[in-house]
Amino acid sequence: MHRFYHSPGACSLAVHIVLEETGAPYEAEVRSARNGEGTSTPDYLALNPKGRVPALAGVGDESGLLTEAVAILLYLARSHPGAGLLPADPAGEARCLEWLSWLSVDLHGVGYGQLWRPHRFVGDPALHAAVVERGRDNIRRVYDHIERILGDGRDWAVPGGYTVVDPYLLVFWLWGRHAGFDMEAEWPLWAGLMGKVLTRPAVRRALTQEGLAQP
C-alpha cells in the first residue's frame, strides 16, 4: 500500500485524483505546504529532504519514496494500465510528458512561483511587487497558449482519451480562479474541458477528501 503525502489544493491534487482513478489502496497524510508548515518539520525532511509535496511512499519496495508530481503521475499511470490514464503508443505518451513538463516548469515553477513566492526569485522585498506582476503576465501567457492548443477541437488534452494530463490541468485551472483570473470568460475551451473532468467520480472524491469546494 502506498502512503501519499499531500497538501489540499496543491499540485498534489492531480496525484490524489489519479490515485482515486486507479483504485489502488493508499493512505493519505496531509503535509500542508502553506508557509512551509508540515513540509519543513524535521520528521518530514528526514523522509523527503526536498521539503515539498507530493511524495509517494512504497515505490519499488516498501521504503521507496518517489517525489515530483510528473514522475508520480507517470508511475501511477504505467503501474495501472487498466485505468487507461496514459496512451499505449509512444507518441501519445510523449505528448503527455510534453504537457506535464511544460506545465510543471513554465506554469508552476515560473509563473506561480513568481506570483506566490517572489522571494525565491529576488531577495530585495522592494522588488517583489514587480516579480508578482511578471508572474501574472507569465501565467496569462501560458493560459492563452493552453486555450490555443485546445482550439483544434480535441476531446481531451491529449486527443483520444482522458489521461493524467487532464487532472494536472485542473490544478492550474483551480489556481487561476483562486488567483482572481476569470477562467470561464477568458479561456472558455479550457473551462469546457474542466467541466468534463469535474464530472468524474474520482475527481469529486479527491476534492471532497481534501475539503475543497466543488466548482
Side-chain angles (χ1 to χ4, degrees), residues 115-127:
L115 180 64
W116 287 338
R117 293 177 175 83
H119 59 277
R120 291 182 178 173
F121 292 83
V122 62
D124 185 354
L127 300 176

PDB file of all heavy atoms in Angstrom, residues 115-127:
ATOM      1  N   LEU A 115       4.341  34.558  -8.721  1.00  0.00           N
ATOM      2  CA  LEU A 115       3.136  35.145  -8.150  1.00  0.00           C
ATOM      3  C   LEU A 115       3.065  34.954  -6.641  1.00  0.00           C
ATOM      4  O   LEU A 115       2.751  35.894  -5.896  1.00  0.00           O
ATOM      5  CB  LEU A 115       1.898  34.538  -8.815  1.00  0.00           C
ATOM      6  CG  LEU A 115       0.546  35.050  -8.314  1.00  0.00           C
ATOM      7  CD1 LEU A 115       0.370  36.538  -8.628  1.00  0.00           C
ATOM      8  CD2 LEU A 115      -0.593  34.231  -8.928  1.00  0.00           C
ATOM      9  N   TRP A 116       3.345  33.740  -6.183  1.00  0.00           N
ATOM     10  CA  TRP A 116       3.117  33.403  -4.781  1.00  0.00           C
ATOM     11  C   TRP A 116       4.389  33.368  -3.926  1.00  0.00           C
ATOM     12  O   TRP A 116       4.313  33.476  -2.709  1.00  0.00           O
ATOM     13  CB  TRP A 116       2.403  32.054  -4.682  1.00  0.00           C
ATOM     14  CG  TRP A 116       0.960  32.131  -5.103  1.00  0.00           C
ATOM     15  CD1 TRP A 116       0.174  33.248  -5.126  1.00  0.00           C
ATOM     16  CD2 TRP A 116       0.128  31.059  -5.565  1.00  0.00           C
ATOM     17  NE1 TRP A 116      -1.096  32.930  -5.556  1.00  0.00           N
ATOM     18  CE2 TRP A 116      -1.157  31.606  -5.834  1.00  0.00           C
ATOM     19  CE3 TRP A 116       0.345  29.699  -5.759  1.00  0.00           C
ATOM     20  CZ2 TRP A 116      -2.229  30.836  -6.289  1.00  0.00           C
ATOM     21  CZ3 TRP A 116      -0.725  28.922  -6.216  1.00  0.00           C
ATOM     22  CH2 TRP A 116      -1.992  29.487  -6.478  1.00  0.00           C
ATOM     23  N   ARG A 117       5.536  33.241  -4.578  1.00  0.00           N
ATOM     24  CA  ARG A 117       6.793  33.156  -3.823  1.00  0.00           C
ATOM     25  C   ARG A 117       7.875  34.001  -4.482  1.00  0.00           C
ATOM     26  O   ARG A 117       8.917  33.483  -4.893  1.00  0.00           O
ATOM     27  CB  ARG A 117       7.223  31.696  -3.692  1.00  0.00           C
ATOM     28  CG  ARG A 117       6.271  30.877  -2.807  1.00  0.00           C
ATOM     29  CD  ARG A 117       6.673  29.418  -2.749  1.00  0.00           C
ATOM     30  NE  ARG A 117       5.826  28.685  -1.816  1.00  0.00           N
ATOM     31  CZ  ARG A 117       4.623  28.187  -2.097  1.00  0.00           C
ATOM     32  NH1 ARG A 117       4.132  28.355  -3.318  1.00  0.00           N
ATOM     33  NH2 ARG A 117       3.914  27.539  -1.195  1.00  0.00           N
ATOM     34  N   PRO A 118       7.663  35.308  -4.581  1.00  0.00           N
ATOM     35  CA  PRO A 118       8.644  36.157  -5.258  1.00  0.00           C
ATOM     36  C   PRO A 118      10.009  36.154  -4.574  1.00  0.00           C
ATOM     37  O   PRO A 118      11.029  36.434  -5.218  1.00  0.00           O
ATOM     38  CB  PRO A 118       7.996  37.541  -5.226  1.00  0.00           C
ATOM     39  CG  PRO A 118       7.037  37.494  -4.075  1.00  0.00           C
ATOM     40  CD  PRO A 118       6.515  36.089  -4.065  1.00  0.00           C
ATOM     41  N   HIS A 119      10.042  35.836  -3.266  1.00  0.00           N
ATOM     42  CA  HIS A 119      11.317  35.812  -2.541  1.00  0.00           C
ATOM     43  C   HIS A 119      12.269  34.762  -3.081  1.00  0.00           C
ATOM     44  O   HIS A 119      13.483  34.839  -2.845  1.00  0.00           O
ATOM     45  CB  HIS A 119      11.064  35.566  -1.043  1.00  0.00           C
ATOM     46  CG  HIS A 119      10.342  34.282  -0.765  1.00  0.00           C
ATOM     47  ND1 HIS A 119       8.966  34.171  -0.852  1.00  0.00           N
ATOM     48  CD2 HIS A 119      10.801  33.054  -0.395  1.00  0.00           C
ATOM     49  CE1 HIS A 119       8.608  32.935  -0.546  1.00  0.00           C
ATOM     50  NE2 HIS A 119       9.697  32.239  -0.273  1.00  0.00           N
ATOM     51  N   ARG A 120      11.738  33.768  -3.800  1.00  0.00           N
ATOM     52  CA  ARG A 120      12.613  32.767  -4.398  1.00  0.00           C
ATOM     53  C   ARG A 120      13.361  33.314  -5.607  1.00  0.00           C
ATOM     54  O   ARG A 120      14.339  32.730  -6.052  1.00  0.00           O
ATOM     55  CB  ARG A 120      11.802  31.540  -4.819  1.00  0.00           C
ATOM     56  CG  ARG A 120      11.249  30.719  -3.650  1.00  0.00           C
ATOM     57  CD  ARG A 120      10.495  29.505  -4.168  1.00  0.00           C
ATOM     58  NE  ARG A 120       9.986  28.682  -3.072  1.00  0.00           N
ATOM     59  CZ  ARG A 120       9.183  27.645  -3.238  1.00  0.00           C
ATOM     60  NH1 ARG A 120       8.796  27.313  -4.463  1.00  0.00           N
ATOM     61  NH2 ARG A 120       8.752  26.951  -2.203  1.00  0.00           N
ATOM     62  N   PHE A 121      12.905  34.435  -6.155  1.00  0.00           N
ATOM     63  CA  PHE A 121      13.490  34.996  -7.369  1.00  0.00           C
ATOM     64  C   PHE A 121      14.382  36.190  -7.103  1.00  0.00           C
ATOM     65  O   PHE A 121      15.327  36.430  -7.843  1.00  0.00           O
ATOM     66  CB  PHE A 121      12.368  35.378  -8.352  1.00  0.00           C
ATOM     67  CG  PHE A 121      11.629  34.203  -8.900  1.00  0.00           C
ATOM     68  CD1 PHE A 121      10.600  33.612  -8.184  1.00  0.00           C
ATOM     69  CD2 PHE A 121      11.965  33.662 -10.135  1.00  0.00           C
ATOM     70  CE1 PHE A 121       9.913  32.509  -8.689  1.00  0.00           C
ATOM     71  CE2 PHE A 121      11.288  32.566 -10.646  1.00  0.00           C
ATOM     72  CZ  PHE A 121      10.261  31.982  -9.914  1.00  0.00           C
ATOM     73  N   VAL A 122      14.045  36.928  -6.050  1.00  0.00           N
ATOM     74  CA  VAL A 122      14.848  38.114  -5.736  1.00  0.00           C
ATOM     75  C   VAL A 122      14.773  38.354  -4.235  1.00  0.00           C
ATOM     76  O   VAL A 122      13.722  38.203  -3.614  1.00  0.00           O
ATOM     77  CB  VAL A 122      14.348  39.337  -6.540  1.00  0.00           C
ATOM     78  CG1 VAL A 122      12.910  39.691  -6.202  1.00  0.00           C
ATOM     79  CG2 VAL A 122      15.250  40.530  -6.339  1.00  0.00           C
ATOM     80  N   GLY A 123      15.913  38.696  -3.640  1.00  0.00           N
ATOM     81  CA  GLY A 123      15.959  38.862  -2.198  1.00  0.00           C
ATOM     82  C   GLY A 123      15.429  40.186  -1.688  1.00  0.00           C
ATOM     83  O   GLY A 123      15.013  40.289  -0.538  1.00  0.00           O
ATOM     84  N   ASP A 124      15.454  41.209  -2.521  1.00  0.00           N
ATOM     85  CA  ASP A 124      15.051  42.551  -2.105  1.00  0.00           C
ATOM     86  C   ASP A 124      13.524  42.658  -2.085  1.00  0.00           C
ATOM     87  O   ASP A 124      12.879  42.613  -3.140  1.00  0.00           O
ATOM     88  CB  ASP A 124      15.634  43.578  -3.075  1.00  0.00           C
ATOM     89  CG  ASP A 124      15.357  45.019  -2.636  1.00  0.00           C
ATOM     90  OD1 ASP A 124      14.626  45.222  -1.643  1.00  0.00           O
ATOM     91  OD2 ASP A 124      15.872  45.934  -3.310  1.00  0.00           O
ATOM     92  N   PRO A 125      12.900  42.824  -0.895  1.00  0.00           N
ATOM     93  CA  PRO A 125      11.436  42.919  -0.825  1.00  0.00           C
ATOM     94  C   PRO A 125      10.860  44.057  -1.668  1.00  0.00           C
ATOM     95  O   PRO A 125       9.714  43.983  -2.109  1.00  0.00           O
ATOM     96  CB  PRO A 125      11.161  43.138   0.664  1.00  0.00           C
ATOM     97  CG  PRO A 125      12.354  42.572   1.358  1.00  0.00           C
ATOM     98  CD  PRO A 125      13.511  42.858   0.443  1.00  0.00           C
ATOM     99  N   ALA A 126      11.651  45.091  -1.898  1.00  0.00           N
ATOM    100  CA  ALA A 126      11.169  46.216  -2.695  1.00  0.00           C
ATOM    101  C   ALA A 126      10.886  45.803  -4.138  1.00  0.00           C
ATOM    102  O   ALA A 126      10.146  46.499  -4.846  1.00  0.00           O
ATOM    103  CB  ALA A 126      12.186  47.353  -2.660  1.00  0.00           C
ATOM    104  N   LEU A 127      11.467  44.706  -4.575  1.00  0.00           N
ATOM    105  CA  LEU A 127      11.286  44.241  -5.949  1.00  0.00           C
ATOM    106  C   LEU A 127      10.212  43.170  -6.087  1.00  0.00           C
ATOM    107  O   LEU A 127       9.901  42.738  -7.202  1.00  0.00           O
ATOM    108  CB  LEU A 127      12.615  43.709  -6.490  1.00  0.00           C
ATOM    109  CG  LEU A 127      13.773  44.708  -6.519  1.00  0.00           C
ATOM    110  CD1 LEU A 127      15.048  44.024  -6.995  1.00  0.00           C
ATOM    111  CD2 LEU A 127      13.436  45.898  -7.407  1.00  0.00           C
TER     112      LEU A 127
END
